[in-house]
Amino acid sequence: MSDSLVLFAWIVVTLLTILLTIFLYLIVRKRKDYKWKKEVETYKQLYEPMLFRYLAYGDEQIIPPSSSAQYVAMMELLDHFIRVLVNGDIKERTTKLAETYFVDYLRMQLHHRRLGRRMNALFYIEDFGTRSLLHELEKMYEQKDVTTMEKRQLLKMFALFRHPHVYEYMKHVDESFTQFDYRLILSRMDDHTFTKMVDYFFDWNEKMQYALIDMIGIMQKFAHISFLRTLLQHEQSEYRIRALKALAEMAFPLEDDQLRIHLHSQVWQERLMALRLCARMRQHTLLDTIKQLMKDRVFSVRSQAAEALLRMPNGLAMLEQIAQTSDDPYARDMALEWLERGREDD
């Protein structure tokens, strides 16, 4: 019995010792972090006026950083300034300063054991446009232990820096990439590379295909209108829906006969996007069809039809007529809802 008590006491003392050690470590770590942040803030106050004058006028002498806290302070300030002071000259001076002072530090951070440090370095390289580190980024991308998060950021930077092999890199991404990831990468591509992506559209996976169509609309790529019009004839409805959505984003008009096909589609999402295009273009020649879609079985389609009518000349009057005379209760309710919205906007 006494041996059991001794063992129990030993276990308790050991656990208390471990907990005390962890507690002391956390205190020391917290104090160290506090001291570090305070040091960084002190250097920020020192660098802020001279960095601002350098970026604004280009004639200020900058004291080179010599410690990690100084590097972090300067980079955080520069990152802040280029987001607030949107100007080509400021961006150029930022890149010049980064190329002069930060390259060795950022190269070292790219090999840090902590993912957070490596990602921060990648973000700074992108923001500062530090192209001299492109070879380091290539080597990093080829490493076996590179994470998916790092690959996403690296591909964004390859696109931004117009890397000659970004197309080949994109051909070998894994399934974890989302449509949003692809959109971010595509948004940074120059017109030549983007066009190449579109030219080989059917070689890509579905997520990339959908992202390409969406980005044509979001980025207003009018050079690819004919491509979108081709997709409108495709047997796969998702292509047609996305193409209509992109055309609506660009407010590009379609002929009545073409739009009428999509307004009568069996796929409600296709009817919805065709109505969205009608609303953007105020296509009053299709009024009868739009009014008919106020009776659609799908709520979203009815709502979009009402919005399309509201955007037309005398839109409020047409909605009032539907609210008072329609034989469909859903159409009357929708007309009343959009009448209220229209009057609030007025």
Side-chain angles (χ1 to χ4, degrees):
M1 184 69 180
S2 59
D3 289 343
S4 298
L5 287 173
V6 169
L7 178 61
F8 177 75
W10 182 83
I11 292 172
V12 169
V13 170
T14 301
L15 288 173
L16 287 174
T17 303
I18 292 171
L19 289 173
L20 181 61
T21 302
I22 294 172
F23 178 70
L24 290 173
Y25 169 78
L26 292 173
I27 290 177
V28 172
R29 181 65 182 270
K30 188 173 182 180
R31 290 187 63 182
K32 187 177 179 181
D33 288 346
Y34 175 76
K35 184 180 177 182
W36 164 263
K37 289 179 181 177
K38 191 174 181 181
E39 188 178 1
V40 169
E41 288 302 316
T42 300
Y43 283 122
K44 276 187 176 182
Q45 292 176 16
L46 171 68
Y47 278 114
E48 185 172 13
M50 68 177 74
L51 278 176
F52 179 79
R53 288 193 295 269
Y54 168 78
L55 292 175
Y57 308 111
D59 57 358
E60 182 76 14
Q61 291 297 316
I62 305 297
I63 303 171
S66 58
S67 68
S68 293
Q70 290 176 349
Y71 277 109
V72 171
M74 276 187 77
M75 290 191 297
E76 287 185 359
L77 279 171
L78 276 179
D79 204 46
H80 169 71
F81 281 141
I82 61 176
R83 294 176 190 280
V84 175
L85 308 172
V86 182
N87 181 285
D89 290 339
I90 287 174
K91 179 68 175 176
E92 186 177 334
R93 288 171 189 146
T94 298
T95 300
K96 182 179 178 181
L97 190 67
E99 293 282 7
T100 303
Y101 291 146
F102 302 154
V103 168
D104 290 338
Y105 179 80
L106 289 171
R107 182 183 290 114
M108 184 172 58
Q109 293 298 301
L110 288 175
H111 298 285
H112 201 281
R113 60 183 178 81
R114 287 171 58 185
L115 175 62
R117 292 282 191 91
R118 299 197 302 272
M119 289 300 300
N120 280 340
L122 290 174
F123 291 138
Y124 282 132
I125 292 169
E126 178 185 3
D127 291 346
F128 299 154
T130 320
R131 295 171 185 268
S132 62
L133 286 168
L134 191 56
H135 183 60
E136 291 290 330
L137 301 179
E138 291 171 347
K139 291 195 297 185
M140 186 177 183
Y141 190 85
E142 298 296 339
Q143 290 175 358
K144 291 183 179 179
D145 58 347
V146 64
T147 66
T148 301
M149 187 183 299
E150 289 169 307
K151 276 195 170 185
R152 291 189 185 106
Q153 179 61 23
L154 284 164
L155 284 171
K156 283 164 53 184
M157 294 160 70
F158 290 152
L160 181 66
F161 293 162
R162 301 188 179 184
H163 192 288
H165 302 305
V166 65
Y167 176 84
E168 284 72 22
Y169 283 139
M170 294 291 289
K171 294 291 287 185
H172 299 97
V173 298
D174 58 54
E175 287 297 317
S176 66
F177 276 59
T178 65
Q179 285 186 51
F180 182 72
D181 294 329
Y182 287 129
R183 284 184 183 185
L184 288 178
I185 298 166
L186 291 167
S187 70
R188 287 158 171 77
M189 287 183 177
D190 64 307
D191 288 340
H192 175 76
T193 308
F194 190 93
T195 297
K196 187 175 181 181
M197 303 290 286
V198 175
D199 287 344
Y200 292 91
F201 179 81
F202 290 102
D203 290 344
W204 299 108
N205 61 47
E206 279 191 349
K207 286 186 285 188
M208 171 61 90
Q209 289 176 344
Y210 298 156
L212 269 169
I213 301 170
D214 292 346
M215 292 309 296
I216 290 172
I218 292 169
M219 297 173 68
Q220 304 285 293
K221 299 276 190 180
F222 284 92
H224 301 292
I225 290 290
S226 60
F227 167 71
L228 294 178
R229 292 181 69 105
T230 300
L231 289 181
L232 292 179
Q233 315 300 323
H234 202 280
E235 61 181 11
Q236 186 172 323
S237 62
E238 188 65 26
Y239 291 148
R240 302 195 302 270
I241 293 164
R242 300 256 178 176
L244 285 166
K245 181 181 178 183
L247 289 167
E249 289 275 359
M250 302 161 79
F252 186 85
L254 290 178
E255 300 83 0
D256 288 356
D257 289 343
Q258 174 76 72
L259 259 178
R260 197 173 281 109
I261 292 171
H262 304 294
L263 289 170
H264 288 107
S265 171
Q266 295 298 310
V267 182
W268 70 265
Q269 294 94 333
E270 189 172 350
R271 300 196 298 275
L272 176 69
M273 290 304 160
L275 282 167
R276 184 173 295 180
L277 181 54
C278 288
R280 290 296 306 275
M281 297 311 303
R282 300 183 179 183
Q283 208 126 348
H284 64 278
T285 51
L286 292 169
L287 276 176
D288 290 341
T289 305
I290 296 171
K291 288 178 180 178
Q292 192 62 33
L293 286 169
M294 286 285 294
K295 303 178 181 180
D296 197 276
R297 64 183 183 277
V298 179
F299 175 88
S300 299
V301 175
R302 296 198 301 273
S303 180
Q304 188 62 71
E307 182 183 352
L309 288 177
L310 183 62
R311 286 172 177 257
M312 303 290 178
N314 299 320
L316 285 173
M318 286 188 285
L319 287 174
E320 283 179 355
Q321 183 182 22
I322 292 171
Q324 293 171 8
T325 64
S326 177
D327 59 354
D328 187 287
Y330 296 111
R332 292 198 301 270
D333 289 344
M334 188 59 68
L336 287 170
E337 181 180 331
W338 277 91
L339 272 171
E340 199 172 315
R341 293 192 197 184
R343 286 164 180 158
E344 286 175 0
D345 292 340
D346 285 347

